[in-house]
Structures are given as C-alpha cells and as structure tokens.
Amino acid sequence: DSYADYELYAEVMATYPLDTGFFLRILSVREHYQVTIDYRPTGEIGAIYGPFPAGGGFFQHCYEGITWWDPNEYNPVRVRIEGAIPRIQVWIRDHRVMDYQDTPVEGRPRFPRAGPVGIQVHPGQSWGKGSKVSFRNLMIKELNK
C-alpha cells in the first residue's frame, strides 16, 4: 500500500555488524527517505539518509541512537513521518533520537508525498559473515484519517 503520514512501529534485533533500515515513501530505488539501522563501527542508528541523485547522503546524522540500542534484545523502533515536506522523528526504546525537518528542493518536496514502506537489506560488505537481522510486530498507523 501507499502511505503518506504515518507511524511505523517495529521490534528489531540485529547482530553486529550489519546495515539495514526502513525506506519511507518509496517511489523508486532513487526516491525515498531512509531511517538507518547501521550497526557497524562507523554506522548510525536512527539517522535520516537519502539516495543519490536527490541530494543523497545523510540529511541528518544520529550519533545518539546507538546509545539506546541493545544488541541482545529486540529493540522497539518507532518512526513518524508527516507533511508534504516531512518532519521525520525516530524513537529507539522510547527515546527520541531524531527530529528532522526536510526542506524543499527548488521549491518542491524532495520525494513523493506518499509511497510504500520497505525494509532495507544493504548488499555487499555491510554485513559481517553470519550477521542477521530480525523484525517482528511491524505495524503502521496512518495519521489524520
């Protein structure tokens, strides 16, 4: 389904090292927001990232998210996205670690107003041998309906 304004809830367990996350408002492989669950030495949990060429890279870093991450248990993660030029908030274990307000690009929203939600599986060397990620209790609550 396609979603515009919503809260996403999931419980996530990830072994070290790996790189995963959530894609928000997907239009294509190059048009969406990403909330990172990058559990590696230089990774960030809860950062907002976007692919190239749409101003790609980190839109906002999150150095605090890892402090709330428990590698031995499922971690409750909540993501809220709302607005045409969205505000994106992220909570790890009920601690808000991200509050990002996007900005227009050439007077327009950077990415589409609505789209599917996805789980990212980063290919290549981002995953250590034997690393695993598990998601459970995934729920989406649409806002303003």
Side-chain angles (χ1 to χ4, degrees):
D1 288 339
S2 185
Y3 300 96
D5 297 339
Y6 58 91
E7 280 193 5
L8 167 68
Y9 174 85
E11 295 168 358
V12 185
M13 183 184 287
T15 60
Y16 185 89
L18 62 73
D19 185 4
T20 186
F22 298 104
F23 290 148
L24 314 176
R25 295 183 178 175
I26 302 167
L27 180 62
S28 72
V29 296
R30 296 282 180 221
E31 296 180 279
H32 58 267
Y33 295 95
Q34 178 187 344
V35 174
T36 64
I37 301 175
D38 187 349
Y39 188 41
R40 300 179 296 162
T42 59
E44 299 177 31
I45 296 174
I48 306 301
Y49 189 88
F52 295 91
F58 284 97
F59 296 154
Q60 188 164 316
H61 288 280
C62 182
Y63 303 113
E64 179 186 356
I66 190 73
T67 63
W68 301 107
W69 193 258
D70 186 336
N72 301 309
E73 296 190 19
Y74 277 91
N75 294 275
V77 177
R78 185 166 49 110
V79 176
R80 182 181 181 104
I81 183 169
E82 95 187 287
I85 299 173
R87 178 182 182 193
I88 303 172
Q89 299 175 80
V90 179
W91 290 262
I92 308 292
R93 297 191 163 277
D94 291 325
H95 298 276
R96 187 170 68 182
V97 298
M98 174 57 60
D99 192 348
Y100 169 72
Q101 176 63 59
D102 200 14
T103 56
V105 175
E106 298 178 3
R108 298 186 343 228
R110 185 185 312 265
F111 298 125
R113 176 72 170 97
V117 177
I119 294 174
Q120 182 216 27
V121 178
H122 206 294
Q125 297 178 350
S126 296
W127 288 65
K129 186 174 182 173
S131 290
K132 298 178 194 173
V133 64
S134 299
F135 296 86
R136 71 178 188 191
N137 296 324
L138 282 94
M139 296 178 262
I140 294 177
K141 176 184 175 185
E142 293 184 87
L143 305 174
N144 308 319
K145 277 209 163 190

